[in-house]
Amino acid sequence: DASAKHGEHQISSFHATANHATPGNDWLLDTGCSHTMSPDLNDFHNAAATNIPIAGIGSPPLRAPHVGSISLATQAGDSLITDSAYHLPSLQHRLLSGLQLARMGFTTIIRPPANAADSDPTGEISHPTHGTYPITCKNGLPFVRIPTRSPSVAAHCATAASPKSILKPTSVRPAIPNTPPTPSRPAP
């Protein structure tokens, strides 16, 4: 269980434990994971069997039995496709990759507590087309509420939507602080 101090607030990353999946549409915003991950195979469409070791989770590393796409319903009514998501049945929470969000054009803002009486920071993830989603902390962990589309609904939305309404990760890396942002390229 890795952790780091930030000001007076303890920010922790956690490792996979028993399967007590985050209920509903809550996703734990994880700025340390490279891929979005879910303990629920029903979140996936086009899931393929695999045996990929996930570095940083467990010792020896846990292995993802499936990899596939997860479709998230946006405020604009379209689908946001998260490719290369990992299925890890033993995860305690669904993990939304901050790195994948940045590659898809999202901005993440985390603000310190407004006053000493507040114990948790606040913030949001936002995208000019897909909307703004508040970050709320529960027991010191930052969560974002984004509905997951079932595979059948996601497939219908993907075929009915214009190509511009579906974002897929690109090879563009997030900008390094104090450098100009790298322009994003449209997905092929």
Side-chain angles (χ1 to χ4, degrees):
D1 195 10
S3 61
K5 283 278 191 183
H6 178 73
E8 294 183 23
H9 301 281
Q10 186 77 21
I11 300 172
S12 299
S13 62
F14 62 92
H15 60 277
T17 58
N19 186 7
H20 302 290
T22 305
N25 300 315
D26 288 349
W27 288 83
L28 178 60
L29 179 61
D30 191 334
T31 58
C33 72
S34 58
H35 293 78
T36 295
M37 302 178 204
S38 175
D40 188 351
L41 189 56
N42 293 319
D43 287 345
F44 292 81
H45 53 101
N46 303 325
T50 188
N51 191 22
I52 297 173
I54 309 300
I57 301 182
S59 180
L62 290 179
R63 294 184 167 277
H66 300 93
V67 64
S69 298
I70 294 177
S71 179
L72 304 172
T74 70
Q75 293 169 345
D78 56 5
S79 288
L80 178 64
I81 309 295
T82 304
D83 288 333
S84 303
Y86 294 144
H87 171 229
L88 286 174
S90 61
L91 280 178
Q92 195 173 23
H93 302 282
R94 290 178 173 105
L95 301 180
L96 186 59
S97 168
L99 182 59
Q100 280 186 325
L101 288 174
R103 287 182 176 157
M104 291 186 281
F106 277 84
T107 300
T108 301
I109 298 171
I110 298 177
R111 294 179 196 87
N115 58 54
D118 293 334
S119 60
D120 289 319
T122 61
E124 72 256 357
I125 62 169
S126 62
H127 189 277
T129 305
H130 297 292
T132 299
Y133 304 86
I135 296 172
T136 56
C137 287
K138 298 175 187 173
N139 298 322
L141 299 173
F143 285 91
V144 178
R145 179 162 289 183
I146 302 177
T148 304
R149 289 193 190 270
S150 70
S152 60
V153 172
H156 170 73
C157 290
T159 56
S162 71
K164 288 183 180 179
S165 68
I166 300 173
L167 280 178
K168 294 188 179 184
T170 66
S171 60
V172 176
R173 297 180 190 263
I176 298 170
N178 300 322
T179 62
T182 304
S184 61
R185 298 178 293 169

